[in-house]
Amino acid sequence: MAMGDKHNHKDNKELQPLLVFGPPTIFPIFEAQNSHTYRFLKAFSSQFPLHQFLTEQKVDPSSIQVILCNPIQKIPADVIRLLPSLRIIVTSSAGTDHIDLVECSRHNIQVVSAAADHAGDVAEMAVGLLLDVMGKISAADRYVRKWGPSMPLNLSFGSKLKGKRVGIVGLGKIGTAVAKRLEAFDCRIMYNSRNQKPLVSYPFYSNVVELAGNSDVLVLCCPLNEQTRHITNREVMLALGKDGFIVNVGRGALIDEKELVQCLMEGEIGGAGLDVFENEPIVPNELFALDNVVLSPHASSFTSDGFTETCKLAAEALQVFFSSN
């Protein structure tokens, strides 16, 4: 082995191991900025079970204290139990439903969200999806690309957003940002949340079916947990009605996706704008042929400013951890 190779091999051994799942969308940038500090163990690129991957990398599982991840790849209990020295999991997402939090609590493992404040970005995506699906912008774009001299203009009518009744499910940071933006369209805002917010003037509905029945649009912004899984089921969709629209910028499993596909195909609801899906990255094939659906690949927070801030927050979280241990 050449002298330079020996030096590099030694340096690699001395770097702090960092196990990466997903990978996070920030990872290429994060890796380039921190390659002098960490040895990145790219579990996301291996087809083998984690223990076999670590063996191939000649890494002792007990040497790993940190995981960097995002929702694409889950961190279940068996992964956590395999790593006896694991002390912190840093996720680039705002949500943590891809991590077994009960197991983390059992082993005193800290879970840190390094997500930048994307509330405004996500809210703008929600409004964009809504304008698109109601105004049939993407459908018109596809039509124009195939349009020819002998083709008559054969587009179905869109719907205007002005004055519509919008029910927001989850009036947290993102939901509030959506509401503020939709006020500019003279929309009438109402909401469902875990608890009624005493300082909010919008009408509150404790029942999502009742909210849907009084809305033209449902915008889903709430976190995913056992209480909110499939919070938008067939009953909710039927209450929303044939002229109603659904926008989901929360998590895919907030909607019963099979029922959503059926309702869209049967004309039981007017349309949907979806940035998230129940079994990402798998998207139901039936949705691709529908002109009353607008799809986005979980990209509501894909802004250059947001990426830069998330990289910084992740690096700072790891720096704080290692400097105190």
Side-chain angles (χ1 to χ4, degrees):
M1 184 183 287
M3 186 69 73
D5 291 339
K6 282 184 178 178
H7 180 70
N8 289 338
H9 185 67
K10 182 180 178 183
D11 284 350
N12 193 46
K13 287 280 191 180
E14 290 175 352
L15 295 177
Q16 190 67 240
L18 196 159
L19 189 59
V20 185
F21 287 85
T25 47
I26 63 164
F27 183 65
I29 301 170
F30 187 86
E31 182 181 27
Q33 292 176 345
N34 296 277
S35 58
H36 61 289
T37 306
Y38 304 110
R39 178 187 176 191
F40 293 101
L41 302 169
K42 302 173 185 178
F44 61 85
S45 66
S46 175
Q47 300 298 314
F48 299 110
L50 181 59
H51 67 88
Q52 189 174 342
F53 166 73
L54 294 175
T55 300
E56 287 187 344
Q57 297 293 313
K58 298 181 180 178
V59 174
D60 184 345
S62 66
S63 69
I64 294 174
Q65 301 181 73
V66 178
I67 287 176
L68 177 67
C69 66
N70 77 343
I72 292 175
Q73 197 171 3
K74 292 186 182 299
I75 311 295
D78 59 334
V79 166
I80 294 167
R81 287 194 288 264
L82 182 66
L83 308 171
S85 300
L86 184 62
R87 290 294 171 266
I88 183 171
I89 299 174
V90 178
T91 179
S92 61
S93 61
T96 56
D97 49 278
H98 55 294
I99 301 169
D100 190 323
L101 298 179
V102 173
E103 194 69 19
C104 286
S105 177
R106 189 174 291 135
H107 294 277
N108 296 315
I109 296 167
Q110 184 182 5
V111 176
V112 175
S113 169
D117 186 358
H118 295 306
D121 300 332
V122 178
E124 285 165 17
M125 172 65 87
V127 175
L129 288 170
L130 183 55
L131 285 167
D132 192 331
V133 71
M134 291 185 72
K136 300 189 181 298
I137 298 171
S138 290
D141 175 85
R142 289 190 293 273
Y143 184 86
V144 169
R145 291 173 192 273
K146 297 183 292 184
W147 203 13
S150 61
M151 288 179 63
L153 186 61
N154 187 24
L155 283 174
S156 56
F157 289 116
S159 302
K160 67 178 183 180
L161 178 56
K162 181 180 173 65
K164 289 293 187 288
R165 302 168 300 163
V166 179
I168 297 177
V169 181
L171 200 71
K173 256 188 175 181
I174 293 171
T176 300
V178 171
K180 286 181 179 177
R181 284 155 176 77
L182 289 177
E183 284 179 354
F185 293 87
D186 294 327
C187 291
R188 289 175 283 165
I189 309 297
M190 54 204 82
Y191 75 102
N192 165 270
S193 206
R194 263 186 314 181
N195 301 299
Q196 185 171 4
K197 300 180 181 296
L199 301 180
V200 171
S201 60
Y202 307 133
F204 170 73
Y205 287 79
S206 59
N207 185 291
V208 179
V209 176
E210 290 180 14
L211 177 67
N214 287 281
S215 300
D216 303 303
V217 175
L218 278 186
V219 182
L220 309 182
C221 307
C222 62
L224 177 65
N225 52 46
E226 287 308 310
Q227 288 72 44
T228 61
R229 183 176 296 277
H230 289 184
I231 193 169
T232 306
N233 54 24
R234 186 174 182 84
E235 185 183 7
V236 171
M237 294 178 225
L238 293 179
L240 183 62
K242 296 179 183 297
D243 296 321
F245 295 87
I246 293 175
V247 170
N248 190 2
V249 291
R251 286 288 185 266
L254 295 173
I255 299 179
D256 186 332
E257 197 167 76
K258 288 182 179 178
E259 292 294 347
L260 174 65
V261 170
Q262 286 298 115
C263 285
L264 286 165
M265 294 179 69
E266 295 166 2
E268 296 293 351
I269 59 172
L274 307 171
D275 183 51
V276 287
F277 306 92
E278 190 162 2
N279 298 297
E280 292 178 15
I282 299 168
V283 179
N285 288 330
E286 297 92 334
L287 295 179
F288 298 143
L290 299 177
D291 274 344
N292 59 343
V293 178
V294 178
L295 308 173
S296 170
H298 204 151
S300 60
S301 58
F302 278 28
T303 62
S304 57
D305 292 342
F307 267 45
T308 301
E309 188 178 349
T310 298
C311 279
K312 180 182 175 185
L313 291 171
E316 287 175 352
L318 294 173
Q319 186 178 5
V320 167
F321 170 76
F322 283 116
S323 64
S324 61
N325 286 274

